[in-house]
Amino acid sequence: MKILITGISGFIAGGLARTLITHRHTVLGTGRRESVNATVPFATLDVTDFAATRALLEREKPDMIYHLAALSVLQAASGPDGARVMLETNVAGTWNVLEASRRVGVAAVVVASSDKQYGALAVPPYDDTDATAFLNGGVYELSKAQQDQVARLYAGLYNTPAVRVARLANVYGPGDSHWSRIVPGTIRRTVQGEAPRLTAGRAGEALREYVFLDDALAALIALADDALARGNGPLRRDDGKLARVAFNIGSPHRYAAGEVIRTVQAVLASAFGIIGPAPEVLPGPVGVFEPGSQFSDHQRLKDLVPHYAPRALAEGLRLTIPWYLEQL
């Protein structure tokens, strides 16, 4: 099978490409800039350009697509063009990929969404059986909510492509070099002898789910298999609501930020002999609304993939940290 992955420079996309290649699929990665992953064939593509997106699909004729291209670093929205660029990439880029796939005849598209699409006021555990509950949040959260809705709209309107939406929680693992994220940032600062940073107040106390990369990839592949096998029809609604093609991909293991830092440092000490300083507690930004705990109900995914059992954080970290030690 020929599979196209947008946003190939991302660490989830890179891990997915390697996994699919081991399963003997032909993989093509796309992005605005050439990927550092030399093992994956690459084509330049800006998904906000519909004509270019359609032309690429007509030329390459992929059997299916994993749409992972997105602006995902929240600070990107604070620049002078941040809101426009983030909305254009995450929302318009999604409908371009879906519309081009429809016209070209791509069999299935898996769209990578986020648990952040539920919004800052949604009450956990988030239920993926109904419409997006977005009520309040930032530009990133809104862009993911709109992306999610567009994908479910296409699933309700058309038979091709078959669509699945993956509402991913916080994915960590080898290859993530976004140092502002708590797992990579804590590993790097501890290894370099610097104090990890912990935000005081609600941001530091709220619970979050953390999903090891391989567990997230297994779920993404299962969603693709389901899309190819069942299509959109069984998940359409007759009450006027958007198709139920979205699945939460999270973990039953939930941690506050301080516990994540303590777990990272405990694994570094016990498994790798690296002792780091205690975290530095910083005040939360004044005037910024901080959401409370964010976690999901995963029963629909478990019904689809009964063996889905995400690793606990300490187990995943033991598999993650060696990559960072090689880099640092």
Side-chain angles (χ1 to χ4, degrees):
M1 183 182 296
K2 186 172 186 178
I3 299 174
L4 187 147
I5 304 174
T6 68
I8 193 63
S9 62
F11 97 100
I12 297 177
L16 178 61
R18 291 189 293 272
T19 300
L20 293 172
I21 289 170
T22 64
H23 293 172
R24 300 187 181 279
H25 294 297
T26 299
V27 177
L28 175 67
T30 71
R32 291 177 175 173
R33 292 173 296 276
E34 188 161 359
S35 171
V36 296
N37 191 340
T39 63
V40 181
F42 177 83
T44 302
L45 176 65
D46 181 348
V47 294
T48 65
D49 184 334
F50 174 72
T53 302
R54 180 175 180 178
L56 178 68
L57 298 191
E58 287 178 335
R59 183 179 74 243
E60 297 295 339
K61 296 180 172 54
D63 297 295
M64 70 157 297
I65 296 172
Y66 288 93
H67 177 45
L68 275 64
L71 283 180
S72 57
V73 179
L74 274 61
Q75 291 88 336
S78 63
D81 296 322
R84 179 189 64 79
V85 171
M86 184 168 279
L87 289 167
E88 189 172 51
T89 301
N90 295 354
V91 186
T94 297
W95 76 54
N96 282 344
V97 168
L98 292 169
E99 180 63 18
S101 297
R102 181 180 77 86
R103 296 193 189 188
V104 172
V106 176
V109 177
V110 175
V111 175
S113 181
S114 167
D115 64 342
K116 301 300 183 286
Q117 70 88 38
Y118 286 103
L121 298 183
V123 178
Y126 303 142
D127 182 359
D128 58 9
T129 62
D130 208 339
T132 298
F134 185 86
L135 296 172
N136 188 25
V139 177
Y140 175 73
E141 291 90 344
L142 177 62
S143 74
K144 301 307 283 187
Q146 292 181 339
Q147 173 197 50
D148 194 288
Q149 290 174 323
V150 166
R152 289 184 288 130
L153 175 68
Y154 265 77
L157 290 175
Y158 307 113
N159 291 324
T160 303
V163 177
R164 294 295 181 271
V165 178
R167 292 175 179 165
L168 293 156
N170 304 286
V171 180
Y172 70 94
D176 185 5
S177 57
H178 284 291
W179 304 112
S180 61
R181 293 174 179 156
I182 188 169
V183 170
T186 300
I187 293 172
R188 183 172 75 166
R189 294 183 72 86
T190 301
V191 169
Q192 294 178 342
E194 302 173 8
R197 291 173 174 169
L198 174 63
T199 303
R202 192 176 187 187
E205 297 167 357
L207 298 177
R208 300 285 186 270
E209 297 172 279
Y210 294 86
V211 185
F212 181 60
L213 177 62
D214 287 2
D215 298 324
L217 297 182
L220 287 171
I221 292 170
L223 291 187
D225 291 343
D226 182 60
L228 291 168
R230 291 198 293 165
N232 296 325
L235 299 181
R236 289 190 177 130
R237 311 271 302 238
D238 57 9
D239 56 4
K241 295 183 179 180
L242 299 174
R244 291 175 53 184
V245 296
F247 292 78
N248 291 326
I249 298 178
S251 169
H253 311 293
R254 298 155 184 168
Y255 309 89
E259 189 175 2
V260 174
I261 292 174
R262 287 192 296 272
T263 304
V264 170
Q265 292 196 316
V267 173
L268 279 167
S270 63
F272 303 97
I274 298 173
I275 309 296
E280 175 187 7
V281 181
L282 303 175
V286 177
V288 175
F289 179 81
E290 288 289 351
S293 296
Q294 296 179 316
F295 51 88
S296 302
D297 184 320
H298 318 120
Q299 188 56 50
R300 288 184 67 235
L301 180 63
K302 286 191 66 66
D303 290 343
L304 187 68
V305 191
H307 59 272
Y308 180 70
R311 296 164 175 82
L313 182 60
E315 181 184 356
L317 288 170
R318 292 186 187 95
L319 301 172
T320 297
I321 289 173
W323 183 88
Y324 289 96
L325 297 182
E326 290 179 3
Q327 306 303 311
L328 298 172

